[in-house]
């Protein structure tokens, strides 16, 4: 396993931790913003997983996969864009549904969000360091 593959696996694990953290915080606090952020992190994990598979296939140095990888990249981009658009619409309609939700456990949600921001920051720095 090369350095880039190892970095992607670490990033996927960190994003998995962020997804769990953000869904728990969204459930406990009732925050739609945290819920949206959790869904966005899930989309990131899907993309990172596909990039990882692409790196593994590219390491094979097989010429017959070149066209397949290019087509798969376009298809995956469209699927992820549709997923993010659908989740945005779903969360938009949830926010204008008229049901007033009072946020609970705001201090814990803020602390958990700050912890998530720290994880995201260091994960981004790590990805830039590795390239």
């Amino acid at each position: 396993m090369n350095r880039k593959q190892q970095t992607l696996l670490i990033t996927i694990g960190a994003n998995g931790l962020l997804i769990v953290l953000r869904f728990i915080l969204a459930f406990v606090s009732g925050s739609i913003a945290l819920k949206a952020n959790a869904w966005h992190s899930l989309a990131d994990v899907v993309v990172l997983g596909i990039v990882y598979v692409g790196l593994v296939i590219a390491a094979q140095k097989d010429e017959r996969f070149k066209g397949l990888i290019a087509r798969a990249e376009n298809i995956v981009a469209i699927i992820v864009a549709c997923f993010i658009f659908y989740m945005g619409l779903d969360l938009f309609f949830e926010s204008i549904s008229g049901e007033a939700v009072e946020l609970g456990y705001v201090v814990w949600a803020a602390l958990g969000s700050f912890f998530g921001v720290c994880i995201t920051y260091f994960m981004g720095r790590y990805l830039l360091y590795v390239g």
Side-chain angles (χ1 to χ4, degrees):
M1 180 179 308
N2 66 26
R3 186 173 167 190
K4 289 182 182 179
Q5 291 173 349
Q6 186 178 21
T7 301
L8 280 173
L9 288 178
I10 291 169
T11 306
I12 289 170
N15 265 320
L17 176 68
L18 285 173
I19 291 168
V20 171
L21 174 68
R22 289 172 177 160
F23 270 125
I24 289 172
L25 290 173
F27 177 74
V28 168
S29 68
S31 171
I32 294 175
L34 284 169
K35 189 177 183 182
N37 208 349
W39 283 113
H40 183 253
S41 293
L42 182 64
D44 288 344
V45 166
V46 170
V47 170
L48 287 171
I50 292 168
V51 169
Y52 178 77
V53 170
L55 280 176
V56 170
I57 291 173
Q60 305 292 324
K61 307 265 190 223
D62 195 346
E63 292 296 321
R64 60 189 167 141
F65 290 124
K66 276 192 175 184
L68 175 67
I69 291 172
R71 282 187 301 241
E73 184 179 12
N74 293 332
I75 292 169
V76 167
I78 290 171
I79 291 170
V80 169
C82 289
F83 172 75
I84 291 174
F85 181 74
Y86 171 76
M87 287 314 305
L89 273 178
D90 185 52
L91 292 168
F92 172 74
F93 287 122
E94 183 178 339
S95 67
I96 64 168
S97 67
E99 297 177 26
V101 176
E102 185 174 332
L103 293 179
Y105 302 101
V106 175
V107 174
W108 288 108
L111 288 174
S113 295
F114 179 73
F115 181 66
V117 166
C118 291
I119 291 172
T120 304
Y121 173 76
F122 288 115
M123 187 173 50
R125 299 294 301 172
Y126 178 61
L127 283 171
L128 283 175
Y129 173 73
V130 172

mmCIF file of all heavy atoms in Angstrom, residues 26-32 94-95 97-104 106:
data_model
loop_
_atom_site.group_PDB
_atom_site.id
_atom_site.type_symbol
_atom_site.label_atom_id
_atom_site.label_comp_id
_atom_site.label_asym_id
_atom_site.label_seq_id
_atom_site.Cartn_x
_atom_site.Cartn_y
_atom_site.Cartn_z
ATOM 1 N N ALA A 26 -26.720 16.156 15.669
ATOM 2 C CA ALA A 26 -27.947 16.621 15.016
ATOM 3 C C ALA A 26 -29.174 16.011 15.679
ATOM 4 O O ALA A 26 -30.180 16.692 15.894
ATOM 5 C CB ALA A 26 -27.919 16.270 13.534
ATOM 6 N N PHE A 27 -29.092 14.729 16.024
ATOM 7 C CA PHE A 27 -30.221 14.063 16.672
ATOM 8 C C PHE A 27 -30.473 14.637 18.066
ATOM 9 O O PHE A 27 -31.616 14.915 18.438
ATOM 10 C CB PHE A 27 -29.962 12.560 16.757
ATOM 11 C CG PHE A 27 -31.033 11.803 17.467
ATOM 12 C CD1 PHE A 27 -32.253 11.568 16.856
ATOM 13 C CD2 PHE A 27 -30.834 11.344 18.757
ATOM 14 C CE1 PHE A 27 -33.259 10.871 17.517
ATOM 15 C CE2 PHE A 27 -31.820 10.648 19.431
ATOM 16 C CZ PHE A 27 -33.037 10.414 18.806
ATOM 17 N N VAL A 28 -29.397 14.829 18.827
ATOM 18 C CA VAL A 28 -29.537 15.315 20.200
ATOM 19 C C VAL A 28 -29.995 16.769 20.230
ATOM 20 O O VAL A 28 -30.864 17.138 21.023
ATOM 21 C CB VAL A 28 -28.195 15.150 20.959
ATOM 22 C CG1 VAL A 28 -28.206 15.889 22.283
ATOM 23 C CG2 VAL A 28 -27.898 13.682 21.184
ATOM 24 N N SER A 29 -29.427 17.601 19.341
ATOM 25 C CA SER A 29 -29.735 19.028 19.402
ATOM 26 C C SER A 29 -30.937 19.433 18.558
ATOM 27 O O SER A 29 -31.542 20.460 18.793
ATOM 28 C CB SER A 29 -28.519 19.838 18.944
ATOM 29 O OG SER A 29 -28.286 19.645 17.569
ATOM 30 N N GLY A 30 -31.252 18.644 17.529
ATOM 31 C CA GLY A 30 -32.329 19.002 16.625
ATOM 32 C C GLY A 30 -31.897 19.967 15.531
ATOM 33 O O GLY A 30 -32.728 20.575 14.860
ATOM 34 N N SER A 31 -30.590 20.100 15.321
ATOM 35 C CA SER A 31 -30.054 21.053 14.353
ATOM 36 C C SER A 31 -30.085 20.490 12.932
ATOM 37 O O SER A 31 -29.514 19.437 12.655
ATOM 38 C CB SER A 31 -28.618 21.416 14.725
ATOM 39 O OG SER A 31 -28.018 22.174 13.706
ATOM 40 N N ILE A 32 -30.743 21.208 12.044
ATOM 41 C CA ILE A 32 -30.783 20.817 10.636
ATOM 42 C C ILE A 32 -29.414 21.070 9.990
ATOM 43 O O ILE A 32 -28.991 20.326 9.104
ATOM 44 C CB ILE A 32 -31.896 21.573 9.895
ATOM 45 C CG1 ILE A 32 -33.256 21.143 10.441
ATOM 46 C CG2 ILE A 32 -31.829 21.332 8.402
ATOM 47 C CD1 ILE A 32 -34.422 21.912 9.864
ATOM 48 N N GLU A 94 -37.595 20.447 4.887
ATOM 49 C CA GLU A 94 -37.708 20.181 6.322
ATOM 50 C C GLU A 94 -37.620 21.484 7.113
ATOM 51 O O GLU A 94 -38.329 21.665 8.105
ATOM 52 C CB GLU A 94 -36.593 19.225 6.769
ATOM 53 C CG GLU A 94 -36.665 18.830 8.218
ATOM 54 C CD GLU A 94 -35.583 17.852 8.624
ATOM 55 O OE1 GLU A 94 -35.017 17.171 7.741
ATOM 56 O OE2 GLU A 94 -35.297 17.776 9.830
ATOM 57 N N SER A 95 -36.772 22.412 6.651
ATOM 58 C CA SER A 95 -36.605 23.666 7.393
ATOM 59 C C SER A 95 -37.790 24.613 7.227
ATOM 60 O O SER A 95 -38.049 25.439 8.100
ATOM 61 C CB SER A 95 -35.312 24.368 6.974
ATOM 62 O OG SER A 95 -35.405 24.806 5.639
ATOM 63 N N SER A 97 -40.951 23.561 6.798
ATOM 64 C CA SER A 97 -42.177 22.795 7.040
ATOM 65 C C SER A 97 -43.105 23.465 8.047
ATOM 66 O O SER A 97 -44.260 23.110 8.147
ATOM 67 C CB SER A 97 -41.837 21.389 7.512
ATOM 68 O OG SER A 97 -41.241 21.427 8.802
ATOM 69 N N GLY A 98 -42.605 24.432 8.786
ATOM 70 C CA GLY A 98 -43.470 25.140 9.723
ATOM 71 C C GLY A 98 -43.381 24.626 11.148
ATOM 72 O O GLY A 98 -43.881 25.262 12.056
ATOM 73 N N GLU A 99 -42.769 23.489 11.334
ATOM 74 C CA GLU A 99 -42.618 22.952 12.681
ATOM 75 C C GLU A 99 -41.443 23.639 13.361
ATOM 76 O O GLU A 99 -40.311 23.539 12.914
ATOM 77 C CB GLU A 99 -42.359 21.447 12.638
ATOM 78 C CG GLU A 99 -43.491 20.644 12.055
ATOM 79 C CD GLU A 99 -43.132 19.173 11.984
ATOM 80 O OE1 GLU A 99 -42.292 18.722 12.772
ATOM 81 O OE2 GLU A 99 -43.699 18.495 11.135
ATOM 82 N N ALA A 100 -41.734 24.339 14.437
ATOM 83 C CA ALA A 100 -40.669 25.014 15.182
ATOM 84 C C ALA A 100 -39.983 24.001 16.091
ATOM 85 O O ALA A 100 -40.631 23.332 16.888
ATOM 86 C CB ALA A 100 -41.240 26.158 15.999
ATOM 87 N N VAL A 101 -38.695 23.883 15.925
ATOM 88 C CA VAL A 101 -37.919 22.959 16.745
ATOM 89 C C VAL A 101 -36.976 23.780 17.610
ATOM 90 O O VAL A 101 -36.177 24.562 17.100
ATOM 91 C CB VAL A 101 -37.101 21.981 15.868
ATOM 92 C CG1 VAL A 101 -36.233 21.088 16.728
ATOM 93 C CG2 VAL A 101 -38.022 21.172 14.986
ATOM 94 N N GLU A 102 -37.100 23.605 18.902
ATOM 95 C CA GLU A 102 -36.205 24.318 19.806
ATOM 96 C C GLU A 102 -34.938 23.492 19.968
ATOM 97 O O GLU A 102 -34.986 22.287 20.228
ATOM 98 C CB GLU A 102 -36.874 24.518 21.165
ATOM 99 C CG GLU A 102 -36.034 25.365 22.093
ATOM 100 C CD GLU A 102 -36.766 25.679 23.388
ATOM 101 O OE1 GLU A 102 -38.007 25.724 23.376
ATOM 102 O OE2 GLU A 102 -36.081 25.868 24.402
ATOM 103 N N LEU A 103 -33.817 24.152 19.774
ATOM 104 C CA LEU A 103 -32.545 23.448 19.893
ATOM 105 C C LEU A 103 -32.302 23.053 21.337
ATOM 106 O O LEU A 103 -32.546 23.825 22.261
ATOM 107 C CB LEU A 103 -31.392 24.322 19.393
ATOM 108 C CG LEU A 103 -31.365 24.627 17.911
ATOM 109 C CD1 LEU A 103 -30.176 25.522 17.589
ATOM 110 C CD2 LEU A 103 -31.297 23.363 17.089
ATOM 111 N N GLY A 104 -31.788 21.858 21.511
ATOM 112 C CA GLY A 104 -31.459 21.368 22.839
ATOM 113 C C GLY A 104 -29.980 21.060 22.937
ATOM 114 O O GLY A 104 -29.318 20.828 21.927
ATOM 115 N N VAL A 106 -27.382 22.842 23.476
ATOM 116 C CA VAL A 106 -26.637 23.732 22.585
ATOM 117 C C VAL A 106 -25.146 23.744 22.930
ATOM 118 O O VAL A 106 -24.300 23.742 22.032
ATOM 119 C CB VAL A 106 -27.230 25.162 22.630
ATOM 120 C CG1 VAL A 106 -26.411 26.121 21.804
ATOM 121 C CG2 VAL A 106 -28.673 25.139 22.157
#
